Amino acid sequence: MKIDKKEKAVVIIGTGPGGATVAYELTKRGIPVVSLEAGPRIMKEEYKNDEWPAFSQMAWLDKRTMSGNARIVKDFNGLPSWLVKAVGGTATHWAGATPRFLDYEWKTKSTYGNVKGASLLDWPIDGKTMKPYYVKAENAIGSTHRGGRPPLPANNNYKVFAEGAKRNGYKFYATGPYGTNAAPYDGRPASIQDGFNFQGDKSGAKWNPNVREIPRALKTGKLDLRPNSQAVQLTHDSKGKVDGVLYIDTKTKALHRQEAKVVCVAGNSIETPRLFLMSASSMFPNGLANSSDQVGRNYMRHLTGSVYATFDKPVNFYRGETMAGFFADEVKNNPKRGFVGGYYLETLALGPSFMGAFLEPGGWGKDFADMMDAYQNMAGMWIVGEDMPQPNNRITLGSSKDQFGLPAPNVHFDDHPNDTAMREHAYKVGEKIYKSVGAVQTWRTTPYPHTHNLGSMRMSSKKKDGVVNKWGRCHDIKNLFVSDGSVMTTGAACNPTLTIVALAIRQGEYLASQLKKGNI
Amino acid sequence: MTITRRNLLLGAASAIAYTQLSTLQTKADIKIASKAGDQQMVASMCRALYPHKRFAENIYMDVAAGAIKKGNADTGSKIMFRVGLDGLQAKKFDKLSFKKQTKYLKSIEGSPFFNLVRGHTTVALYDHKQVWKILGYEGDSFSKGGYKKGQYDDLDWLPNPRIEEHPDLAAFLNDSSPTKYASSKIIKTN
Ligand SMILES: Cc1cc2nc3c(=O)[nH]c(=O)nc-3n(C[C@H](O)[C@H](O)[C@H](O)COP(=O)(O)OP(=O)(O)OC[C@H]3O[C@@H](n4cnc5c(N)ncnc54)[C@H](O)[C@@H]3O)c2cc1C
């Protein structure tokens, strides 16, 4: 469907799990939507089974800078995050782990108490509210181990991981929940175990919005999908309501304007606050919806790290579904370990190309080469845990410019002592797991460019504490919504996408009902 | 970059290299590391950085060629690369023992020349298709239909694990009395 630029439309910015889900929820209820996506639409046939070419095919490589004490600031200053600029968003490159928040993770302030330096806050919604939406999100994604869907089989990397966990007396390991089909589901085939997830899945077994929400929304006839259209400013009327979106055609560099009655922003946790800040006006000199000064603050990236180990026999860990191995024994909050919150361990494999670049950024020498030399005998796991929100971990407009002459975002990130303590604990557990099954050499790998980007547009019950309310609607501006992971008040230990989709389904329902009632 | 004695020295050396280079400026398009043996010298540095007995010389030579190309990218890089290469030559780096090579590399670690060669090598070496073969990595698999049962799970030195969730998992995750853990609010940070 073609929507006129002069028509006051519902405009959604971004087509990742957040934006595409809201677009589908609205269009399937008959509400026309304009979807602006900064990147191109790339179909699965064009994805590449080759790490660097796949990365450069669609990673977000626009200018960004970093500051802070986290090691990534030094290692990957221009690349704070691994995000995708294409229809389907970063989920085009995602692995597929789909755990839920634990009930108390919606209320970390009440549960953990005051943690020095951390801006913990309870969400304005809870596990009970979210439960039905989690079920819908799992069915949309097709999570294994849920809704009667079968588990994926064990691959080599999982065999090492699970047996190591077992030998240490742990028991909560499994091959999921995971967003790739073990058996055909929802019109998509079963996994062919080709081992390429982070490059985009050529088989279509893996969920991402470009294989489900986008084509289905297009089929309703109500979606005007505009790829290569990067929003650069939100405009507002004299009453302070948003009334349009300025966007660049990234191919021609021409500037366009779409009139809007409602805008949902889902550009992920760096671009969303950046757009709000770039939309400053005489009425809102600090950026839109920013009376609380919370836009861009409390940015989180999850507590991460990896442990790799080599053995004296082959593993071939790059074969099969990359992250179909899940360990939950250390996820529960237990401050006796020396930190609050908890973490999961998940299997992870990289090809030699990425392993060379990421095993030890800046690393060289014999130990490093020995690790790489035993690549065939290598197993790997990823640590993902709750990190502490901190007000100064923050997205701001920096002094450098992007290719359009717009202020590039700066990402400031300091590790909180709780993050450091948790990472140390997780490294030890990871090493124990691998040593118990005969590891020859183990390696503690520092965080990669952030794949989980959360929290910079925090959801809060009180206006002064955040940017959006429990529906993801801006406290300050009634017809402006945020629909991505940036609304996360706190991040919990789990991978975020299932929750982003669940929140977006809920927001889509709400927004549709408000539009139908004429409340917006 | 923080100013250390070494950087200052490198800075001084660059100045000298620059004057040498500018006297040569009349000849069009100077290329550094174009003499016989230069590529071998850089290759010996690549190997010392990432020593793999199983990797043939041509692999390190390919990687060195890429590093030299980056060294020729612009005047600044040319000057920087020349100084670095001079350093290797002065030490007869390719003739040193691995231990002495490592010692020398440690002494220049962090210099722009070191950063260029190391940064390039860690990417180019492990992205080299011959290296993939030696390491046992199979690359593209979609075109071959992915991996079948008996391939993605061919590891036979450990028992086959459970793939379903443990029956107690839901109870463990849903245990909704987290406050029982919250009595202690002290964070130890080591
Ligand atoms: C390698 C990798 C593995 C991952 N594995 C997992 C996993 O196993 N489990 C999990 O839960 N999560 C995983 N993730 C994270 C997951 O991909 C993200 O949580 C998810 O995609 C976020 O959805 P989103 O809609 O908020 O943002 P995104 O998916 O990032 O989508 C944002 C979209 O908005 C577009 N955009 C941005 N700014 C603008 C603008 N100004 N105008 C127009 N368009 C704009 C972008 O181009 C992008 O397409 C992984 C990520 C990576 C990189």
Side-chain angles (χ1 to χ4, degrees), chain A residues 212-233:
Chain A
R212 187 176 187 273
E213 283 68 17
I214 294 294
R216 288 186 193 185
L218 285 169
K219 221 170 174 181
T220 65
K222 297 287 179 191
L223 180 67
D224 184 344
L225 174 67
R226 300 187 198 157
N228 306 308
S229 301
Q230 186 162 336
V232 294
Q233 195 168 53

Side-chain angles (χ1 to χ4, degrees), chain A residues 121-144:
Chain A
L121 185 70
D122 291 354
W123 286 63
I125 47 180
D126 59 14
K128 211 169 135 217
T129 311
M130 289 308 294
K131 203 169 175 179
Y133 295 100
Y134 269 139
V135 174
K136 288 181 193 198
E138 283 162 354
N139 290 338
I141 291 174
S143 301
T144 64

